Amino acid sequence: MSDILKTIIATKHEEVADCLKTRSLAAVRADAEARAHDRRDFVAAMRAKHAAGRAAVIAEAKKASPSKGVIRADFDPAAIARSYAEHGAACLSVLTDRQYFQGCADYLQAARAACPLPVLRKDFMVDEYQIYEARAMGADCILLIAAALSLAEMRAFETLAQELGMAVLVEVHDEAELDLALQLTTPLIGVNNRNLRTFEVSLDNTLKLLPKIGDGRIAVTESGIRSVGDVQLMRDHGVHSFLVGEAFMREPDPGLALEQLFRA
């Protein structure tokens, strides 16, 4: 685990402890269960794109990052979500981490209310409290980062998410993490092309791990997709699912940028 990831994970444990002082686990569980009827099928949305011969794009709304600072100063999650939906995104990803990415739950709620797409809560999950919290805020999918969790934790969080009607995207960076991820039941395997230690980005990371993922799962390539050539490289190798955010956030119209990147 990189130093920055360790720092973020430590912060998350502190945040959960603080949340428990003001709102009990039972209360947030009740909020989550109250939204049991309000579900959008994240995996089905991606498979529908595949069935139509198109790329399934999880389009991300991200205001800032620890390494780049503010990426989009005029950040309007509802407008971004509408643009993504109009221009062919399969799903949304919304950052809810406040301290490092300047995100919040309100952004996810605004984005989801503005369009019909399923939404991934992009955050760092370390406790079951956050899983209930994700469903309570309207998330249709959660992210589990293999570099930050044990196999037992991932299994427990996956089970809880599925019980609440949410999908799970498990993110890996290398073969050892992939071995753990493949012991989960989720079909969504995200391969982050960014090295957590050097922060260098290489699309070869997806291509290297792809044979081991197999046909029964949906490989989602993350980070470093910036050109039509990058998209074509992935699709030529059978990767038809993408999580892209920063490249769109720097453009005047994020959805139009998505359509242009995936026009082939």
Side-chain angles (χ1 to χ4, degrees):
M1 192 189 304
S2 69
D3 289 342
I4 182 62
L5 186 56
K6 285 180 182 178
T7 300
I8 292 172
I9 295 306
T11 299
K12 289 295 148 184
H13 283 291
E14 293 171 0
E15 287 178 0
V16 170
D18 288 340
C19 286
L20 282 166
K21 294 175 184 176
T22 58
R23 190 160 186 78
S24 70
L25 178 62
V28 76
R29 181 191 296 122
D31 288 345
E33 292 171 349
R35 295 200 69 154
H37 65 286
D38 183 20
R39 299 178 181 180
R40 298 176 185 176
D41 194 326
F42 198 94
V43 175
M46 298 185 70
R47 285 182 167 150
K49 293 290 185 182
H50 297 161
R54 301 175 64 187
V57 183
I58 305 170
E60 190 158 273
K62 178 167 67 173
K63 182 177 181 179
S65 77
S67 59
K68 303 291 179 63
V70 175
I71 297 168
R72 189 177 186 89
D74 59 332
F75 189 76
D76 182 340
I80 292 167
R82 283 192 293 269
S83 181
Y84 280 153
E86 289 167 5
H87 291 280
C91 303
L92 301 179
S93 169
V94 180
L95 269 293
T96 59
D97 171 76
R98 187 180 299 275
Q99 182 164 333
Y100 299 97
F101 291 86
Q102 297 187 31
C104 64
D106 289 347
Y107 289 164
L108 186 149
Q109 291 168 331
R112 193 176 189 272
C115 75
L117 301 183
V119 183
L120 165 72
R121 181 190 184 183
K122 187 79 172 290
D123 213 316
F124 301 82
M125 298 295 172
V126 299
D127 192 277
E128 65 174 345
Y129 188 98
Q130 297 166 291
I131 315 299
Y132 287 116
E133 190 178 53
R135 183 80 279 266
M137 69 177 67
D140 304 290
C141 183
I142 61 164
L143 177 72
L144 298 181
I145 301 175
L149 299 166
S150 68
L151 177 57
E153 287 172 324
M154 287 195 290
R155 280 176 165 158
F157 294 165
E158 178 188 55
T159 297
L160 178 56
Q162 291 172 344
E163 288 172 352
L164 293 170
M166 292 186 291
V168 171
L169 173 63
V170 57
E171 178 180 292
V172 305
H173 300 82
D174 57 32
E175 190 170 344
E177 292 172 11
L178 177 57
D179 287 340
L180 297 177
L182 291 174
Q183 295 182 59
L184 303 182
T185 64
T186 177
L188 300 176
I189 307 292
V191 179
N192 197 325
N193 297 308
R194 178 174 287 109
N195 187 304
L196 284 179
R197 292 165 183 81
T198 66
F199 289 95
E200 294 177 353
V201 176
S202 173
L203 300 185
D204 287 341
N205 203 40
T206 292
L207 301 181
K208 179 179 67 177
L209 297 181
L210 188 60
K212 196 163 188 176
I213 294 175
D215 295 333
R217 311 272 183 153
I218 298 174
V220 182
T221 187
E222 306 174 13
S223 300
I225 303 296
R226 302 189 180 280
S227 71
V228 172
D230 293 337
V231 172
Q232 197 59 52
L233 173 67
M234 290 293 115
R235 299 203 71 181
D236 285 346
H237 284 83
V239 178
H240 303 297
S241 301
F242 301 78
L243 194 157
V244 184
E246 188 174 320
F248 301 150
M249 288 293 92
R250 297 187 182 279
E251 298 296 326
D253 186 333
L256 183 58
L258 182 156
E259 184 176 320
Q260 291 171 342
L261 183 61
F262 289 90
R263 62 180 178 265

